[in-house]
Amino acid sequence: MPQVPFSWGKFGENLTTEGLTEDTLCIGDRLKVGAAILIVTQPRMPCYKLALRFDRDDMIKRFLTSQRSGFYFSVIEKGEVQAGSKIEILSRDPDRVAVVDIVRLYLGQAHDPELLHRAMNVSALPQNWKAELAVRVDHA
């Protein structure tokens, strides 16, 4: 399984990784980070604070257009994690819905009923995301 180094971001709960991207990681993928077991749950989405931080009105749009949202993990098993720990992909979700696929569905850039169906089947994707995707696809 691939392994990549990571380092802590400014806050303890943020991981800065090399080699894990929104187009290669899927919602529901399980990873071992140091001694902890994590599962990919959803993309990060920007809020108004991003535009304030960079003092640019178009920053949220630029962020979303990049399709580099980042992603959230949920802790399955606690364990020690420190700078320099390795990340190992333990298992891949069988529905294979990449983080970027969720972003594209959310933005209305993907009009794929089969992709939406697979997204709705991913147990790791929070219910509020599933409800939002269903609404957005219905309005498209």
Side-chain angles (χ1 to χ4, degrees):
M1 292 285 167
Q3 295 185 346
V4 295
F6 83 93
S7 61
W8 286 109
K10 183 176 178 183
F11 301 102
E13 70 276 4
N14 291 330
L15 302 177
T16 303
T17 64
E18 295 175 11
L20 297 178
T21 62
E22 294 80 354
D23 59 339
T24 60
L25 271 186
C26 294
I27 306 298
D29 286 354
R30 291 177 182 261
L31 291 82
K32 183 174 185 180
V33 181
I37 307 294
L38 309 176
I39 188 169
V40 180
T41 59
Q42 63 190 23
R44 288 183 65 226
M45 297 305 281
C47 70
Y48 72 94
K49 292 178 184 178
L50 185 66
L52 293 175
R53 165 72 173 89
F54 287 94
D55 194 28
R56 291 188 65 141
D57 292 339
D58 67 341
M59 194 59 185
I60 292 173
K61 182 178 180 179
R62 292 169 55 94
F63 182 86
L64 290 171
T65 301
S66 78
Q67 297 184 352
R68 300 298 300 251
S69 64
F71 34 85
Y72 287 113
F73 293 109
S74 181
V75 177
I76 301 298
E77 189 176 307
K78 293 179 182 179
E80 185 175 323
V81 176
Q82 57 187 341
S85 290
K86 299 291 182 186
I87 298 175
E88 179 182 358
I89 298 173
L90 298 177
S91 65
R92 308 304 304 254
D93 187 84
D95 288 300
R96 304 289 299 153
V97 178
V99 174
V100 73
D101 291 333
I102 299 298
V103 174
R104 289 179 183 147
L105 285 168
Y106 178 81
L107 295 175
Q109 296 172 344
H111 304 287
D112 182 347
E114 190 271 335
L115 175 60
L116 177 62
H117 178 73
R118 285 189 293 123
M120 296 300 197
N121 283 335
V122 178
S123 61
L125 185 66
Q127 191 59 41
N128 64 322
W129 268 95
K130 291 177 183 180
E132 184 64 31
L133 293 178
V135 167
R136 288 177 181 272
V137 169
D138 284 345
H139 286 119

